[in-house]
């Protein structure tokens, strides 16, 4: 007999980020207030904010993925027999979040910036076309690709997929510049790479 699990979804905790639906639209849909709906779920009779569904091990992977992508832990997956979570995570309780160490951020670009051996990017906006173009130059400084898109997310995900950056610092830099470019384009502001937005 197949092992059983219980998906437990807390509608009150859900903030409507809809990441669960983004990866598994077959399991989740959007309610009129943007919160997630557990497809084929039943409302708990003793706690109306909870919706549950009994699943078997064939469905476990997809529900676990939904639970793990949820930023507010609105979804849990429990062992049917023991009622214990099978997610293997240890989320910090809200009341304990003020007790973790704080690292004061600082950055000295002259000392800390390191060139990515993979190359570099230039970023420009083309407001009349609502287009952002990132030019990728290899380590020999030759232009290899132009990546164009209408928003930062699709461009930086393309850059990552094509493996055009090789350091965390460079990936963060490119993401930051692309987001600045997108904001400038949408708000009709001038964009100059490496300068702050006006
Ligand atoms: S990912 Fe979590 S917070 Fe976002 S819609 Fe799904 S359940 Fe709600």
């Amino acid at each position: 007999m197949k092992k059983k699990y219980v998906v437990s979804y807390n509608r009150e905790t859900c903030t409507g980020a809809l990441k669960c639906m983004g990866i598994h639209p077959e399991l989740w849909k959007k309610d009129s207030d943007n919160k997630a709906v557990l497809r084929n779920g039943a409302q708990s009779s003793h706690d109306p904010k909870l919706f549950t569904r009994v699943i078997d091990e064939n469905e476990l992977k997809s529900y676990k993925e939904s639970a793990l992508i949820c930023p507010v832990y609105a979804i849990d997956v429990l062992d049917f027999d023991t009622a214990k979570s099978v997610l293997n995570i240890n989320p910090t309780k809200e009341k304990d979040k003020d007790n973790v160490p704080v690292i004061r951020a600082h950055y000295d670009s002259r000392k800390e910036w390191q060139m990515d051996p993979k190359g570099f990017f230039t970023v420009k906006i083309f407001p009349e076309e609502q287009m952002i173009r990132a030019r990728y130059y290899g380590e020999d400084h030759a232009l290899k690709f132009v990546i164009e898109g209408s928003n930062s997310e699709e461009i930086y995900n393309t850059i990552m997929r094509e493996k055009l950056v090789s350091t965390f610092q460079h990936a963060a830099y490119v993401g930051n510049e692309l987001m600045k470019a997108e904001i400038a384009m949408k708000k009709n502001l001038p964009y100059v790479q490496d300068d702050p937005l006006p």
Side-chain angles (χ1 to χ4, degrees):
M1 203 173 71
K2 281 183 182 156
K3 189 160 173 49
K4 288 193 170 156
Y5 301 87
V6 180
V7 178
S8 172
Y9 162 57
N10 187 329
R11 195 181 189 285
E12 199 171 280
T13 307
C14 173
T15 54
L18 294 177
K19 289 182 177 292
C20 53
M21 201 181 77
I23 58 165
H24 285 298
E26 75 285 11
L27 308 180
W28 306 91
K29 62 181 179 179
K30 184 162 82 167
D31 214 342
S32 54
D33 60 357
N34 267 1
K35 293 201 178 208
V37 174
L38 171 62
R39 291 183 190 270
N40 302 315
Q43 192 165 22
S44 161
S45 52
H46 59 89
D47 189 347
K49 65 179 183 288
L50 291 184
F51 290 77
T52 60
R53 179 166 184 236
V54 177
I55 60 166
D56 65 33
E57 57 203 24
N58 291 341
E59 301 168 285
L60 180 62
K61 181 171 176 287
S62 306
Y63 280 104
K64 272 175 99 171
E65 286 169 354
S66 306
L68 291 172
I69 205 169
C70 176
V72 291
Y73 312 109
I75 305 165
D76 204 349
V77 184
L78 314 169
D79 185 299
F80 185 87
D81 299 316
T82 65
K84 288 208 170 115
S85 175
V86 297
L87 293 182
N88 211 10
I89 57 173
N90 183 23
T92 304
K93 293 195 172 58
E94 208 49 50
K95 68 176 177 52
D96 295 330
K97 286 189 177 169
D98 286 340
N99 299 330
V100 300
V102 175
I103 300 171
R104 181 75 184 90
H106 59 86
Y107 176 55
D108 182 341
S109 61
R110 288 165 309 171
K111 290 186 188 153
E112 293 181 63
W113 173 257
Q114 294 195 330
M115 277 303 292
D116 184 344
K118 272 260 177 174
F120 61 94
F121 289 86
T122 60
V123 177
K124 276 193 175 173
I125 58 172
F126 297 81
E128 58 291 343
E129 300 169 62
Q130 283 296 290
M131 198 64 80
I132 304 166
R133 292 194 172 93
R135 290 177 159 188
Y136 167 62
Y137 295 83
E139 58 184 337
D140 58 356
H141 289 213
L143 178 61
K144 308 281 187 192
F145 299 109
V146 178
I147 300 135
E148 62 176 26
S150 58
N151 63 65
S152 56
E153 190 176 32
E154 62 187 19
I155 298 177
Y156 67 63
N157 274 295
T158 302
I159 289 170
M160 300 308 286
R161 197 183 313 119
E162 298 291 331
K163 301 186 171 49
L164 303 180
V165 291
S166 68
T167 68
F168 292 138
Q169 188 183 44
H170 193 203
Y173 166 81
V174 171
N176 186 46
E177 282 304 319
L178 289 168
M179 180 50 82
K180 276 166 49 191
E182 181 179 343
I183 292 169
M185 187 170 74
K186 291 189 170 156
K187 300 268 179 198
N188 247 336
L189 299 168
Y191 168 74
V192 180
Q193 187 168 350
D194 294 331
D195 281 2
L197 287 174

